[in-house]
Amino acid sequence: MKLRSCLCLLALAVILGFLFTSSIMAGIDASGVSKEPPIAYVQGMIWKRLQLADFVLTGNAHTDKGKKRYPLILRTRGHTLVYEFQDQPLQIRVQLDPGKFTVEKRSSAKDKWSLIPDKDMGKAILDTDITYEDLGIDFVNWDDVTPLGTDTIKTLPAYVFEAKPGPGDHSRFAKVRYWVSSQYWAFLRIDGLNAKGQTIKRVEVQDVMQIGQYYVFKEMKVSYMLPDREDMASSTTLIDITTGKEGSGLPAHSAPASSNVALPVIQTDTVPVAPTAAPSAASPEDSSMTPAAPVTPTTAPSSTP
């Protein structure tokens, strides 16, 4: 069964084995493949985490090369994210609709949104290391997804998957490998690979912060990696969130009526998943919920009734 058909059934709007070199696969336990839940179930849980809280977040994007800093406001609600650059004529909207994620831009709030064409998705945003494709995370809609095993990212246990774009999928990556928390169903790392299986792009959540009952990313790192130098970046952009509060000002958004999807009943008691633990206030990076996507606020389990 085509995975995309599974994604549509699950209303998903939000990586085969030993063919790679040992250095690329280092850290991933291939024997953990048998412990991973069905891919459709994992993607369904990710979709649930892509239901964003109604937040307005304030922060900066800054690069290590040009030392430039771009103040921005990030608004989230439902399946919508809007990035508003404060000193640049640029706003970006990401819409996470079932089976199809779209990225649009405009110069100001007075202008109409314009869809980013496929040929421009790989272009850099301003002079940062972030591209429109990085924000769009459309790889979660690709058909060809393979479980690789289990791993640990910043002490959090994770399932590892690898996705390949199909003929109709427009991507500069030959594959995308991603790590999903087995406790919180959130992305911990996303790697874009070239045809040789080398990592050329990496997105990582570096730190999280708590706003009320929610945990959101505090720092996200987007890096271009040297293909022939394992885990070494050639350039890096950081997005730092300094403040956040409820009330984005965005309208409520529903999935398009044309999607006509229905959620099936999933027997979760038969799926081998890790138990969910309450986050520790003393160590949020190790035990709190991290974002479902690199830029996604998520609901964290509450440690109080």
Side-chain angles (χ1 to χ4, degrees):
M1 186 182 200
K2 280 277 190 176
L3 181 58
R4 181 160 298 170
S5 63
C6 294
L7 302 186
C8 291
L9 287 173
L10 287 168
L12 179 65
V14 78
I15 201 185
L16 108 163
F18 299 101
L19 296 180
F20 304 107
T21 65
S22 59
S23 62
I24 294 175
M25 295 296 291
I28 300 177
D29 181 4
S31 67
V33 169
S34 62
K35 303 176 183 178
E36 295 186 290
I39 294 174
Y41 177 82
V42 173
Q43 303 228 9
M45 295 300 291
I46 292 174
W47 168 250
K48 290 177 64 177
R49 291 295 184 234
L50 290 177
Q51 179 67 31
L52 311 181
D54 187 16
F55 277 162
V56 56
L57 308 173
T58 303
N60 296 275
H62 53 98
T63 66
D64 63 349
K65 289 189 302 184
K67 306 298 182 182
K68 291 187 178 180
R69 184 175 296 270
Y70 299 102
L72 63 82
I73 292 176
L74 172 58
R75 302 181 190 273
T76 68
R77 185 177 183 183
H79 294 136
T80 302
L81 305 93
V82 176
Y83 300 81
E84 301 173 353
F85 290 90
Q86 299 303 287
D87 59 358
Q88 300 290 326
L90 178 62
Q91 296 184 3
I92 302 171
R93 181 169 70 178
V94 181
Q95 200 71 59
L96 307 175
D97 290 326
K100 177 63 177 179
F101 298 170
T102 57
V103 184
E104 303 165 298
K105 70 175 181 178
R106 65 184 182 184
S107 297
S108 70
K110 298 179 180 179
D111 300 319
K112 292 184 178 180
W113 291 106
S114 175
L115 183 68
I116 303 294
D118 292 333
K119 64 182 180 64
D120 292 339
M121 288 293 285
K123 290 185 176 181
I125 297 172
L126 302 175
D127 66 346
T128 72
D129 297 288
I130 306 170
T131 68
Y132 295 102
E133 183 179 4
D134 295 335
L135 299 183
I137 62 172
D138 197 49
F139 64 87
V140 302
N141 291 316
W142 296 351
D143 293 334
D144 190 351
V145 181
T146 302
L148 294 184
T150 55
D151 199 355
T152 300
I153 300 293
K154 295 184 182 296
T155 75
L156 288 173
Y159 300 130
V160 190
F161 299 90
E162 192 163 85
K164 292 182 181 179
D169 299 315
H170 300 274
S171 177
R172 68 193 189 282
F173 302 123
K175 305 163 189 172
V176 173
R177 185 176 298 156
Y178 55 94
W179 286 252
V180 180
S181 167
S182 59
Q183 292 177 296
Y184 306 114
W185 307 104
F187 289 121
L188 301 178
R189 177 189 293 173
I190 300 170
D191 281 3
L193 280 62
N194 62 18
K196 296 181 179 180
Q198 300 167 317
T199 300
I200 56 176
K201 193 70 178 287
R202 174 168 293 170
V203 180
E204 298 176 281
V205 173
Q206 295 291 98
D207 198 4
V208 296
M209 61 188 288
Q210 185 173 3
I211 303 175
Q213 63 174 327
Y214 298 96
Y215 278 79
V216 303
F217 84 92
K218 181 176 176 62
E219 183 179 86
M220 180 177 71
K221 181 168 69 173
V222 182
S223 305
Y224 277 104
M225 310 298 290
L226 295 171
D228 56 347
R229 301 288 295 274
E230 182 184 358
D231 290 335
M232 182 173 290
S234 60
S235 61
T236 296
T237 295
L238 294 175
I239 298 180
D240 296 317
I241 299 300
T242 53
T243 63
K245 62 181 180 180
E246 296 185 15
S248 66
L250 297 177
H253 175 78
S254 301
S258 59
S259 63
N260 193 28
V261 293
L263 288 172
V265 175
I266 300 177
Q267 300 297 328
T268 57
D269 57 339
T270 64
V271 178
V273 298
T276 299
S280 168
S283 182
E285 183 180 70
D286 292 344
S287 58
S288 64
M289 178 173 293
T290 51
V295 289
T296 302
T298 58
T299 306
S302 173
S303 58
T304 57

